[in-house]
Amino acid sequence: MFAVFTSRRKALTRAALLAASLTVAACVPSPSSRGPALDPGAPVQVALILPGGSGNSGDEVLARNLKQAADLAIADLQGVQVDLRVYNAGSDPATSAAMAQKAVDEGAKIILGPVYAEAANAAGLAVRDSGVNVLSFSNNTDIAGGNVFVLGATFQNTANRLVSYAARNGKGRIMVVYDQNPSGALGKRAIEAAASRSGATITGAETYAFSQQGVIDAAPKIAGAAKATASDAVFFTADTAGALPLLAQLLPESGLRASETQFIGLTRWDIPTATLAMPGVQGGWFALPDPALQAQFQSRYTAAYGDVPHPIAGLAYDGIAAIGALAKQGRSDAFSAASLTQGAGYVGVNGIFRLRADGTNERGLAIAQVRNAQMAVIESAPRSFSGAGF
């Protein structure tokens, strides 16, 4: 079983990069409040910085998918013309910085991308004095702030949604189980912060070495601690490419069953779909973007391009949707920080979202439960920021 964990470590490493190099030491760009002035009568020049051009096959696929999703979004805009210019920068921060500066020199009013955290941070720093804001595809909140905004789903957003739901449904005594790595530590902090906002109680935190033997050794202790603290729920930071499959097997074998203690996941348990068939995750909760909107996007994308979109391709659509909504208002300061962070937010293929003044984002997420090896939505994603779910 744990051979799967070991063989997936490369995939996990890649996923961690896509999740934004959680250990990056960010030099947060200084605040950019004004944004470049727009000419209401001219097409809006948008720079799209992609991870293409490096020769890495995975990055080339990702770059193509992001560009195609952006094109779909532009086709959907009404009353707004977008002049989209593509800059390939690979994953290199220095190249990303150079491309960002080139884009601004060529007239870009806003930058969409890059993907990787260090590259996005470098791009933001390169153009901070120009007043141009950067909408990165990263989800690393360490780089958020100043003129850099992250579009990716963040641990804090997911934790807030799930902990709030748990507290409202009688599962407010939560024990955190986290990996001994930067991602696990970040996830633990997000869950603890979410509990402080929702009134839930953190009953304790248990960890394990990020290895097969580490999980095997820790499982009995984790199960014992959950019982000793009378925890209603156990909240995992592990993902399906890492420790989750083994934890889901070993904890029930150690006497901690999902039928008695609610299992909750900080990551999606439906990717890959084979995870849903694991006995240990049955009954577990996780959060995800609005499934109906995502299905519509996937169907449209496949019809247009003959392939299934990359899991984060929709972020490019969301970015263009936000840019178009702001440009349509006809204001010369449409891309200022104040405009970008409008409270009403935007609607994209991942549902409603809004950008926050600290550079992070808030997204409307659905709550799903694993039932009979299938995903079932048990609370729909909110369609506005005034209702439940926030």
Side-chain angles (χ1 to χ4, degrees), residues 160-210:
N160 288 345
R161 180 71 166 107
L162 285 163
V163 171
S164 175
Y165 181 82
R168 287 187 283 110
N169 287 274
K171 301 295 181 181
R173 291 182 54 79
I174 300 171
M175 187 176 80
V176 183
V177 176
Y178 65 101
D179 309 272
Q180 286 180 12
N181 60 22
S183 178
L186 183 62
K188 172 179 176 287
R189 293 197 301 271
I191 297 166
E192 290 171 341
S196 69
R197 297 185 182 96
S198 68
T201 300
I202 299 297
T203 60
E206 295 292 330
T207 189
Y208 49 87
F210 192 63

Short mmCIF file of all heavy atoms in Angstrom, two decimals, residues 160-210:
data_model
loop_
_atom_site.label_atom_id
_atom_site.label_comp_id
_atom_site.label_asym_id
_atom_site.label_seq_id
_atom_site.Cartn_x
_atom_site.Cartn_y
_atom_site.Cartn_z
N ASN A 160 -11.74 27.60 6.62
CA ASN A 160 -12.84 28.41 7.12
C ASN A 160 -14.19 27.78 6.79
O ASN A 160 -15.09 27.71 7.63
CB ASN A 160 -12.79 29.83 6.53
CG ASN A 160 -11.66 30.66 7.08
OD1 ASN A 160 -11.06 30.33 8.11
ND2 ASN A 160 -11.34 31.74 6.40
N ARG A 161 -14.33 27.34 5.55
CA ARG A 161 -15.61 26.75 5.11
C ARG A 161 -15.92 25.47 5.87
O ARG A 161 -17.05 25.27 6.35
CB ARG A 161 -15.53 26.48 3.61
CG ARG A 161 -16.80 25.87 3.02
CD ARG A 161 -17.92 26.88 2.97
NE ARG A 161 -19.01 26.42 2.12
CZ ARG A 161 -20.19 25.98 2.55
NH1 ARG A 161 -20.44 25.94 3.86
NH2 ARG A 161 -21.12 25.59 1.69
N LEU A 162 -14.94 24.59 5.97
CA LEU A 162 -15.17 23.28 6.58
C LEU A 162 -15.35 23.38 8.10
O LEU A 162 -16.21 22.70 8.67
CB LEU A 162 -14.03 22.34 6.23
CG LEU A 162 -14.06 21.80 4.80
CD1 LEU A 162 -12.69 21.22 4.42
CD2 LEU A 162 -15.15 20.75 4.62
N VAL A 163 -14.54 24.18 8.75
CA VAL A 163 -14.65 24.30 10.21
C VAL A 163 -15.98 24.95 10.58
O VAL A 163 -16.65 24.52 11.54
CB VAL A 163 -13.46 25.09 10.79
CG1 VAL A 163 -13.69 25.41 12.26
CG2 VAL A 163 -12.17 24.29 10.62
N SER A 164 -16.38 25.96 9.83
CA SER A 164 -17.66 26.60 10.10
C SER A 164 -18.81 25.60 9.94
O SER A 164 -19.73 25.54 10.76
CB SER A 164 -17.86 27.79 9.15
OG SER A 164 -19.14 28.34 9.29
N TYR A 165 -18.75 24.81 8.88
CA TYR A 165 -19.79 23.80 8.65
C TYR A 165 -19.80 22.77 9.77
O TYR A 165 -20.87 22.38 10.27
CB TYR A 165 -19.56 23.11 7.31
CG TYR A 165 -20.59 22.06 6.98
CD1 TYR A 165 -21.82 22.42 6.44
CD2 TYR A 165 -20.34 20.71 7.22
CE1 TYR A 165 -22.79 21.46 6.15
CE2 TYR A 165 -21.29 19.75 6.94
CZ TYR A 165 -22.51 20.13 6.40
OH TYR A 165 -23.46 19.16 6.13
N ALA A 166 -18.60 22.34 10.19
CA ALA A 166 -18.52 21.36 11.27
C ALA A 166 -19.11 21.91 12.56
O ALA A 166 -19.87 21.22 13.26
CB ALA A 166 -17.06 20.95 11.48
N ALA A 167 -18.79 23.15 12.88
CA ALA A 167 -19.29 23.75 14.11
C ALA A 167 -20.81 23.88 14.09
O ALA A 167 -21.47 23.71 15.12
CB ALA A 167 -18.64 25.12 14.31
N ARG A 168 -21.36 24.16 12.91
CA ARG A 168 -22.82 24.31 12.80
C ARG A 168 -23.55 22.98 12.81
O ARG A 168 -24.77 22.93 12.94
CB ARG A 168 -23.17 25.06 11.50
CG ARG A 168 -22.85 26.53 11.54
CD ARG A 168 -23.39 27.25 10.31
NE ARG A 168 -22.57 27.05 9.12
CZ ARG A 168 -22.93 26.33 8.06
NH1 ARG A 168 -24.10 25.70 8.05
NH2 ARG A 168 -22.13 26.22 7.01
N ASN A 169 -22.80 21.88 12.66
CA ASN A 169 -23.42 20.57 12.55
C ASN A 169 -22.95 19.60 13.62
O ASN A 169 -22.89 18.38 13.40
CB ASN A 169 -23.17 20.00 11.15
CG ASN A 169 -23.99 20.70 10.08
OD1 ASN A 169 -25.13 20.34 9.83
ND2 ASN A 169 -23.40 21.71 9.46
N GLY A 170 -22.62 20.15 14.79
CA GLY A 170 -22.33 19.31 15.94
C GLY A 170 -21.00 18.60 15.92
O GLY A 170 -20.81 17.61 16.65
N LYS A 171 -20.07 19.07 15.12
CA LYS A 171 -18.73 18.45 15.03
C LYS A 171 -17.66 19.49 15.33
O LYS A 171 -16.65 19.59 14.64
CB LYS A 171 -18.52 17.85 13.64
CG LYS A 171 -19.54 16.78 13.27
CD LYS A 171 -19.43 15.55 14.15
CE LYS A 171 -20.44 14.48 13.74
NZ LYS A 171 -20.36 13.29 14.62
N GLY A 172 -17.88 20.26 16.39
CA GLY A 172 -17.02 21.40 16.69
C GLY A 172 -15.81 21.12 17.56
O GLY A 172 -15.01 22.03 17.81
N ARG A 173 -15.65 19.89 18.04
CA ARG A 173 -14.43 19.52 18.79
C ARG A 173 -13.50 18.80 17.81
O ARG A 173 -13.69 17.62 17.52
CB ARG A 173 -14.78 18.64 19.99
CG ARG A 173 -15.54 19.39 21.09
CD ARG A 173 -15.82 18.48 22.29
NE ARG A 173 -14.61 17.86 22.82
CZ ARG A 173 -13.72 18.45 23.61
NH1 ARG A 173 -13.91 19.72 23.98
NH2 ARG A 173 -12.66 17.80 24.04
N ILE A 174 -12.52 19.54 17.33
CA ILE A 174 -11.73 19.09 16.18
C ILE A 174 -10.27 18.84 16.56
O ILE A 174 -9.63 19.70 17.17
CB ILE A 174 -11.79 20.14 15.06
CG1 ILE A 174 -13.23 20.35 14.60
CG2 ILE A 174 -10.90 19.74 13.88
CD1 ILE A 174 -13.41 21.53 13.66
N MET A 175 -9.76 17.68 16.20
CA MET A 175 -8.34 17.39 16.35
C MET A 175 -7.68 17.49 14.98
O MET A 175 -8.21 16.96 13.99
CB MET A 175 -8.10 15.99 16.93
CG MET A 175 -6.62 15.75 17.26
SD MET A 175 -6.33 14.14 18.05
CE MET A 175 -6.36 13.09 16.60
N VAL A 176 -6.55 18.17 14.92
CA VAL A 176 -5.83 18.36 13.66
C VAL A 176 -4.77 17.26 13.52
O VAL A 176 -4.02 16.97 14.46
CB VAL A 176 -5.14 19.73 13.61
CG1 VAL A 176 -4.45 19.94 12.27
CG2 VAL A 176 -6.14 20.84 13.87
N VAL A 177 -4.71 16.65 12.35
CA VAL A 177 -3.68 15.66 12.04
C VAL A 177 -2.92 16.17 10.82
O VAL A 177 -3.51 16.33 9.74
CB VAL A 177 -4.31 14.28 11.76
CG1 VAL A 177 -3.24 13.28 11.33
CG2 VAL A 177 -5.04 13.76 12.99
N TYR A 178 -1.62 16.42 10.99
CA TYR A 178 -0.89 17.11 9.92
C TYR A 178 0.46 16.48 9.62
O TYR A 178 1.09 15.85 10.46
CB TYR A 178 -0.70 18.59 10.29
CG TYR A 178 0.18 18.86 11.49
CD1 TYR A 178 1.50 19.27 11.33
CD2 TYR A 178 -0.30 18.71 12.79
CE1 TYR A 178 2.32 19.53 12.43
CE2 TYR A 178 0.49 18.96 13.90
CZ TYR A 178 1.80 19.38 13.71
OH TYR A 178 2.59 19.62 14.81
N ASP A 179 0.90 16.67 8.38
CA ASP A 179 2.20 16.19 7.92
C ASP A 179 3.33 17.01 8.54
O ASP A 179 3.17 18.22 8.75
CB ASP A 179 2.33 16.33 6.40
CG ASP A 179 1.18 15.74 5.63
OD1 ASP A 179 1.24 14.55 5.31
OD2 ASP A 179 0.23 16.49 5.32
N GLN A 180 4.44 16.39 8.78
CA GLN A 180 5.63 17.12 9.24
C GLN A 180 6.37 17.66 8.02
O GLN A 180 7.45 17.19 7.65
CB GLN A 180 6.54 16.21 10.07
CG GLN A 180 6.02 15.90 11.45
CD GLN A 180 6.96 14.99 12.24
OE1 GLN A 180 8.11 14.76 11.84
NE2 GLN A 180 6.48 14.44 13.34
N ASN A 181 5.78 18.63 7.39
CA ASN A 181 6.41 19.32 6.25
C ASN A 181 5.78 20.71 6.17
O ASN A 181 4.82 21.01 6.89
CB ASN A 181 6.25 18.51 4.95
CG ASN A 181 4.79 18.28 4.56
OD1 ASN A 181 3.89 19.01 4.98
ND2 ASN A 181 4.56 17.25 3.77
N PRO A 182 6.31 21.59 5.32
CA PRO A 182 5.77 22.96 5.28
C PRO A 182 4.29 23.03 4.95
O PRO A 182 3.56 23.84 5.52
CB PRO A 182 6.63 23.62 4.19
CG PRO A 182 7.92 22.88 4.22
CD PRO A 182 7.54 21.46 4.50
N SER A 183 3.83 22.19 4.03
CA SER A 183 2.42 22.19 3.67
C SER A 183 1.56 21.80 4.86
O SER A 183 0.51 22.41 5.12
CB SER A 183 2.19 21.24 2.50
OG SER A 183 0.83 21.19 2.15
N GLY A 184 1.99 20.77 5.59
CA GLY A 184 1.24 20.34 6.76
C GLY A 184 1.18 21.41 7.83
O GLY A 184 0.14 21.64 8.45
N ALA A 185 2.30 22.09 8.05
CA ALA A 185 2.34 23.15 9.06
C ALA A 185 1.42 24.31 8.67
O ALA A 185 0.70 24.87 9.52
CB ALA A 185 3.76 23.65 9.24
N LEU A 186 1.42 24.66 7.38
CA LEU A 186 0.55 25.73 6.92
C LEU A 186 -0.92 25.34 7.07
O LEU A 186 -1.76 26.14 7.49
CB LEU A 186 0.86 26.05 5.46
CG LEU A 186 0.08 27.21 4.84
CD1 LEU A 186 0.38 28.52 5.56
CD2 LEU A 186 0.42 27.35 3.35
N GLY A 187 -1.23 24.09 6.74
CA GLY A 187 -2.59 23.61 6.88
C GLY A 187 -3.05 23.61 8.33
O GLY A 187 -4.19 23.99 8.63
N LYS A 188 -2.18 23.20 9.22
CA LYS A 188 -2.50 23.20 10.66
C LYS A 188 -2.85 24.61 11.13
O LYS A 188 -3.85 24.82 11.83
CB LYS A 188 -1.32 22.65 11.45
CG LYS A 188 -1.45 22.77 12.97
CD LYS A 188 -0.22 22.16 13.66
CE LYS A 188 -0.27 22.34 15.17
NZ LYS A 188 -0.03 23.75 15.57
N ARG A 189 -2.03 25.58 10.74
CA ARG A 189 -2.30 26.96 11.15
C ARG A 189 -3.62 27.46 10.60
O ARG A 189 -4.37 28.18 11.27
CB ARG A 189 -1.16 27.88 10.71
CG ARG A 189 0.16 27.61 11.41
CD ARG A 189 1.11 28.79 11.26
NE ARG A 189 1.42 29.10 9.87
CZ ARG A 189 2.41 28.57 9.19
NH1 ARG A 189 3.19 27.64 9.76
NH2 ARG A 189 2.64 28.93 7.94
N ALA A 190 -3.94 27.07 9.37
CA ALA A 190 -5.19 27.51 8.75
C ALA A 190 -6.39 26.93 9.50
O ALA A 190 -7.37 27.64 9.74
CB ALA A 190 -5.23 27.08 7.29
N ILE A 191 -6.32 25.68 9.89
CA ILE A 191 -7.42 25.05 10.62
C ILE A 191 -7.59 25.69 11.99
O ILE A 191 -8.71 25.97 12.43
CB ILE A 191 -7.19 23.54 10.73
CG1 ILE A 191 -7.18 22.88 9.34
CG2 ILE A 191 -8.26 22.89 11.61
CD1 ILE A 191 -6.62 21.47 9.32
N GLU A 192 -6.48 25.93 12.66
CA GLU A 192 -6.54 26.55 13.99
C GLU A 192 -7.12 27.97 13.89
O GLU A 192 -7.94 28.38 14.73
CB GLU A 192 -5.16 26.57 14.61
CG GLU A 192 -4.66 25.18 15.01
CD GLU A 192 -3.20 25.17 15.44
OE1 GLU A 192 -2.46 26.13 15.11
OE2 GLU A 192 -2.79 24.19 16.09
N ALA A 193 -6.72 28.72 12.87
CA ALA A 193 -7.25 30.07 12.69
C ALA A 193 -8.74 30.03 12.38
O ALA A 193 -9.52 30.86 12.86
CB ALA A 193 -6.50 30.80 11.57
N ALA A 194 -9.16 29.05 11.58
CA ALA A 194 -10.57 28.92 11.25
C ALA A 194 -11.40 28.61 12.49
O ALA A 194 -12.51 29.11 12.65
CB ALA A 194 -10.76 27.82 10.21
N ALA A 195 -10.85 27.78 13.38
CA ALA A 195 -11.56 27.44 14.61
C ALA A 195 -11.77 28.66 15.49
O ALA A 195 -12.82 28.84 16.10
CB ALA A 195 -10.80 26.36 15.37
N SER A 196 -10.78 29.53 15.53
CA SER A 196 -10.89 30.73 16.36
C SER A 196 -11.97 31.67 15.84
O SER A 196 -12.56 32.43 16.60
CB SER A 196 -9.54 31.46 16.42
OG SER A 196 -9.22 32.05 15.16
N ARG A 197 -12.26 31.59 14.54
CA ARG A 197 -13.28 32.45 13.95
C ARG A 197 -14.69 31.87 14.10
O ARG A 197 -15.67 32.61 14.13
CB ARG A 197 -13.02 32.65 12.45
CG ARG A 197 -11.73 33.37 12.12
CD ARG A 197 -11.64 33.63 10.62
NE ARG A 197 -10.39 34.28 10.27
CZ ARG A 197 -9.32 33.63 9.84
NH1 ARG A 197 -9.35 32.32 9.69
NH2 ARG A 197 -8.22 34.29 9.53
N SER A 198 -14.80 30.56 14.16
CA SER A 198 -16.11 29.91 14.09
C SER A 198 -16.66 29.46 15.43
O SER A 198 -17.83 29.06 15.51
CB SER A 198 -16.02 28.68 13.18
OG SER A 198 -15.22 27.68 13.80
N GLY A 199 -15.84 29.49 16.46
CA GLY A 199 -16.29 29.01 17.75
C GLY A 199 -16.03 27.53 17.98
O GLY A 199 -16.39 26.98 19.02
N ALA A 200 -15.40 26.87 17.01
CA ALA A 200 -15.02 25.47 17.20
C ALA A 200 -13.85 25.37 18.18
O ALA A 200 -13.14 26.36 18.43
CB ALA A 200 -14.65 24.83 15.87
N THR A 201 -13.64 24.19 18.73
CA THR A 201 -12.56 23.95 19.67
C THR A 201 -11.53 23.00 19.08
O THR A 201 -11.90 21.93 18.58
CB THR A 201 -13.10 23.34 20.98
OG1 THR A 201 -14.04 24.24 21.56
CG2 THR A 201 -11.98 23.05 21.97
N ILE A 202 -10.27 23.38 19.11
CA ILE A 202 -9.20 22.47 18.70
C ILE A 202 -8.81 21.65 19.92
O ILE A 202 -8.30 22.18 20.90
CB ILE A 202 -7.99 23.23 18.14
CG1 ILE A 202 -8.38 24.05 16.91
CG2 ILE A 202 -6.85 22.27 17.82
CD1 ILE A 202 -8.86 23.21 15.73
N THR A 203 -9.08 20.36 19.86
CA THR A 203 -8.82 19.48 21.00
C THR A 203 -7.37 19.04 21.09
O THR A 203 -6.93 18.52 22.12
CB THR A 203 -9.70 18.23 20.92
OG1 THR A 203 -9.41 17.52 19.69
CG2 THR A 203 -11.19 18.61 20.94
N GLY A 204 -6.62 19.23 20.03
CA GLY A 204 -5.21 18.85 20.01
C GLY A 204 -4.72 18.75 18.59
O GLY A 204 -5.49 18.94 17.64
N ALA A 205 -3.46 18.46 18.43
CA ALA A 205 -2.85 18.31 17.11
C ALA A 205 -1.86 17.17 17.16
O ALA A 205 -1.01 17.11 18.06
CB ALA A 205 -2.16 19.60 16.68
N GLU A 206 -1.98 16.25 16.23
CA GLU A 206 -1.08 15.12 16.12
C GLU A 206 -0.40 15.15 14.76
O GLU A 206 -1.01 15.54 13.76
CB GLU A 206 -1.84 13.80 16.29
CG GLU A 206 -2.46 13.60 17.67
CD GLU A 206 -1.40 13.41 18.76
OE1 GLU A 206 -0.32 12.88 18.46
OE2 GLU A 206 -1.68 13.80 19.92
N THR A 207 0.86 14.75 14.74
CA THR A 207 1.61 14.80 13.50
C THR A 207 2.33 13.48 13.25
O THR A 207 2.31 12.57 14.09
CB THR A 207 2.62 15.97 13.54
OG1 THR A 207 3.21 16.13 12.25
CG2 THR A 207 3.72 15.71 14.57
N TYR A 208 2.97 13.38 12.11
CA TYR A 208 3.67 12.16 11.73
C TYR A 208 4.77 12.53 10.74
O TYR A 208 4.66 13.51 9.99
CB TYR A 208 2.72 11.14 11.07
CG TYR A 208 1.86 11.73 9.99
CD1 TYR A 208 2.31 11.81 8.67
CD2 TYR A 208 0.61 12.25 10.29
CE1 TYR A 208 1.53 12.38 7.69
CE2 TYR A 208 -0.19 12.83 9.31
CZ TYR A 208 0.28 12.88 8.01
OH TYR A 208 -0.49 13.46 7.03
N ALA A 209 5.84 11.75 10.77
CA ALA A 209 6.91 11.94 9.79
C ALA A 209 6.37 11.63 8.41
O ALA A 209 5.56 10.71 8.23
CB ALA A 209 8.09 11.03 10.12
N PHE A 210 6.79 12.41 7.43
CA PHE A 210 6.26 12.26 6.08
C PHE A 210 6.94 11.08 5.38
O PHE A 210 7.79 11.23 4.49
CB PHE A 210 6.48 13.55 5.30
CG PHE A 210 5.73 13.61 4.00
CD1 PHE A 210 4.36 13.57 3.97
CD2 PHE A 210 6.42 13.71 2.80
CE1 PHE A 210 3.67 13.62 2.77
CE2 PHE A 210 5.74 13.77 1.59
CZ PHE A 210 4.36 13.71 1.57
#
